[in-house]
Amino acid sequence: MTAIAAVILGAGMGTRMKSRKPKVLHQIAGRAMVSHLLATVNELNAEKNIVVVAPGMDDVRAEVDPAEIAIQDKALGTGHAVAAALPSLQGFEGDVLVLYGDTPLITRETLENMIETRRRDTNTAVVVLGFEPEDPMEYGRLITNEKGDLEAIVEFADADAVQKAVGLCNSGVMAIDGAKIQSLIDEIGNDNAKGEYYLTDIVEIARKKDLPCKVVKGDEEELLGVNNRIQLAEAEAIAQKRWRKDAMEKGATLIDPASVFFSHDTKLGQDVIIEPNVFFGPGVTIGNDVRIKANSHLEGTTIGDTAQIGPFARLRPGAKIADDVKIGNFVEVKKADLEKGAKVSHLSYIGDARIGAEANIGAGTITCNYDGYDKFKTDIGAGAFVGSNTALVAPVSIADGAIIGAGSTVTKNVEQDALMVERADEVQKSGWAARFRAMKAKLKNK
Ligand code: UD1
Ligand code: MG
């Protein structure tokens, strides 16, 4: 099988994003657009991945590591950007896939279809991915002949009225014969409305050499180009629709799919039930038979089987929730191990902690993990019972089976099976309330 190299263009300034960071780093479902593309080309086992960036885009370099980087000194157009990648493709004779960093939703199936089309007739120099959007906007137009083969791509800025009326548009994605790419790119000029080196010109150049060019049609939803924040939100919506469908197909129940937001890497077990208004940040893995109740926010968290989370739970990075654990409403957990069957049912903060198996943490318990400078750990043993409104001042440990009386502030370690209670003595004055009310009533009636 012939090899594939992917060239992802990301050197454009993305001015329409009105952002201080490069466009391709803007995220969809918690992952940079450029990384979505890299993940997709990785599924094709591309032999080379080259990302074209502008000088100084070190954050893009870090994001795409270990992909190869090519620097385009000045953003002189998409053809000029591909030229910057050519030195890395010296001697490569397979198929070169050119992808735009701002078109992140393209699927593996579509790319495979393009590669197949390119290989069907070895003469085919270029395969372009076209689509027929409802509103063709300012996309380049694909000019085809009576056989449906491609003759030229005309940029919107250069198109006449007849060409603008063409509904078949350029998505920007191309499969190019690696043996011919150099000679095609070499001939691109910049005599056009924008004075740029358009990659799209290689179609006409190939046709002049009598080399066939083809169109593969794709679906509008996967070819949306993100040029501004409105399109970024549209791309997010499309991605979320995909993830929701995928989650349901794999055996999760989403009571109101439209209100559940996934990250690109959310992993769900079987028979997980997700109630409305749940948000998954990156790094969440959930076991089987788990229920995530309404209005919960989860990130960087693993959850075992048959756990119950929420409603209104907040699970932050490093929360490890074992099987059968119950996390109730208004509970925040960060960097903490909750062992099998532990319960934190109401209004608590558990951070930098271990909660042993079957321990019960009462309402309003707070692990005081931070002294303004450093973080400290709270360790709670199996079967311990922490009464409501307890402050656990870390570092502190409560051994297995101990009981902490409600309202305590715990600063010293508590031994196994002990009762620890920290509270002022209670004072009770018989009849005091009745006397107080009588006195007040008398004063009022005067
Ligand atoms: C491009 C196509 C247009 C197509 C549209 C699809 C050209 C000339 N036009 O237009 O036919 O319909 O995409 O979305 O190719 N980039 C560089 N270096 C540059 C210029 C751009 O790396 O000098 C990168 C950008 O970062 C971006 C991609 O190439 O990821 C596309 O550039 P953009 O300016 O968005 O092109 P469009 O005007 O959208
Ligand atoms: Mg664009």
Side-chain angles (χ1 to χ4, degrees):
M1 195 178 129
T2 332
I4 299 170
V7 176
I8 300 174
L9 305 189
M13 294 309 296
T15 40
R16 287 166 281 178
M17 294 298 281
K18 305 265 163 58
S19 174
R20 285 185 299 180
K21 69 176 177 191
K23 175 158 78 173
V24 297
L25 291 183
H26 282 269
Q27 294 192 337
I28 287 170
R31 176 164 66 177
M33 291 199 277
V34 66
S35 296
H36 280 281
L37 287 169
L38 282 169
T40 308
V41 295
N42 274 336
E43 289 178 38
L44 299 175
N45 293 321
E47 182 175 294
K48 269 176 173 293
N49 294 322
I50 304 159
V51 181
V52 180
V53 301
M57 284 186 179
D58 293 339
D59 37 5
V60 179
R61 183 191 292 265
E63 170 71 27
V64 304
D65 183 68
E68 221 176 297
I69 293 283
I71 307 276
Q72 185 192 13
D73 288 331
K74 255 184 155 179
L76 298 180
T78 47
H80 185 257
V82 173
L86 290 181
S88 306
L89 289 170
Q90 280 302 318
F92 179 83
E93 300 233 316
D95 289 306
V96 180
L97 272 177
V98 176
L99 301 152
Y100 288 178
D102 67 352
T103 308
L105 299 173
I106 187 149
T107 60
R108 168 197 178 156
E109 291 71 29
T110 301
L111 293 179
E112 279 172 347
N113 192 356
M114 292 181 69
I115 297 279
E116 262 169 44
T117 307
R118 220 297 302 154
R119 288 174 185 171
R120 206 168 297 139
D121 168 7
T122 46
N123 277 331
T124 302
V126 182
V127 176
V128 173
L129 183 57
F131 67 128
E132 289 166 318
E134 221 166 89
D135 174 6
M137 297 186 284
E138 299 195 351
Y139 288 115
R141 303 298 203 264
L142 300 186
I143 311 300
T144 50
N145 62 22
E146 61 290 344
K147 272 168 53 201
D149 286 348
L150 194 57
E151 291 294 337
I153 305 177
V154 182
E155 284 305 290
F156 182 80
D158 301 284
D160 60 31
V162 176
Q163 291 164 329
K164 278 179 186 161
V166 171
L168 186 59
C169 291
N170 176 27
S171 70
V173 182
M174 293 189 187
I176 306 166
D177 180 353
K180 303 190 181 95
I181 188 166
Q182 179 87 53
S183 65
L184 296 172
I185 298 280
D186 282 347
E187 286 188 38
I188 298 177
N190 65 350
D191 183 16
N192 53 50
K194 288 191 182 166
E196 286 185 4
Y197 295 86
Y198 294 159
L199 175 63
T200 45
D201 283 355
I202 64 168
V203 171
E204 263 191 282
I205 295 167
R207 291 304 298 133
K208 281 198 190 118
K209 295 177 193 283
D210 222 19
L211 297 167
C213 297
K214 309 260 179 199
V215 181
V216 162
K217 281 192 200 165
D219 172 34
E220 177 172 11
E221 288 226 319
E222 67 177 273
L223 299 176
L224 174 75
V226 175
N227 296 308
N228 56 43
R229 308 269 181 163
I230 296 157
Q231 288 167 328
L232 182 69
E234 282 167 10
E236 178 77 40
I238 293 165
Q240 289 299 340
K241 233 169 48 187
R242 274 190 202 167
W243 267 288
R244 289 168 191 147
K245 187 163 165 269
D246 187 58
M248 293 187 279
E249 278 171 358
K250 287 181 177 154
T253 295
L254 274 53
I255 294 173
D256 175 22
S259 72
V260 176
F261 291 82
F262 289 107
S263 181
H264 66 97
D265 59 353
T266 310
K267 291 189 187 67
L268 303 178
Q270 246 180 344
D271 293 310
V272 171
I273 298 176
I274 303 176
E275 295 185 3
N277 298 320
V278 172
F279 186 95
F280 293 93
V284 177
T285 300
I286 296 182
N288 300 322
D289 300 304
V290 170
R291 191 169 186 114
I292 310 288
K293 298 186 185 171
N295 302 303
S296 294
H297 187 286
L298 300 84
E299 56 187 321
T301 293
T302 55
I303 298 175
D305 298 341
T306 61
Q308 300 245 6
I309 309 295
F312 296 97
R314 171 140 193 242
L315 301 184
R316 292 173 49 204
K320 285 198 204 123
I321 311 295
D323 296 356
D324 302 327
V325 165
K326 182 170 180 254
I327 304 283
N329 45 215
F330 307 108
V331 171
E332 174 180 351
V333 181
K334 182 218 77 168
K335 212 171 168 197
D337 272 316
L338 275 69
E339 296 177 349
K340 192 173 182 331
K343 289 189 178 61
V344 190
S345 299
H346 335 262
L347 299 158
S348 290
Y349 172 62
I350 305 296
D352 300 294
R354 176 187 76 99
I355 312 283
E358 305 294 337
N360 190 348
I361 308 300
T365 296
I366 307 289
T367 55
C368 311
N369 59 331
Y370 185 50
D371 62 4
Y373 296 91
D374 296 300
K375 299 275 166 69
F376 300 96
K377 200 177 164 191
T378 301
D379 190 83
I380 298 175
F385 183 98
V386 176
S388 297
N389 198 28
T390 293
L392 300 159
V393 183
V396 73
S397 73
I398 293 164
D400 294 355
I403 294 181
I404 309 298
S408 299
T409 298
V410 185
T411 59
K412 298 190 188 92
N413 293 345
V414 179
E415 62 194 49
Q416 189 171 340
D417 293 326
L419 167 70
M420 188 284 180
V421 58
E422 184 274 334
R423 214 181 267 165
D425 284 344
E426 290 178 28
V427 179
Q428 194 168 147
K429 297 186 176 172
S430 298
W432 189 95
R435 287 197 298 278
F436 173 75
R437 282 192 291 270
M439 184 260 287
K440 284 288 186 191
K442 212 167 141 189
L443 284 173
K444 237 195 182 149
N445 292 334
K446 255 191 181 167

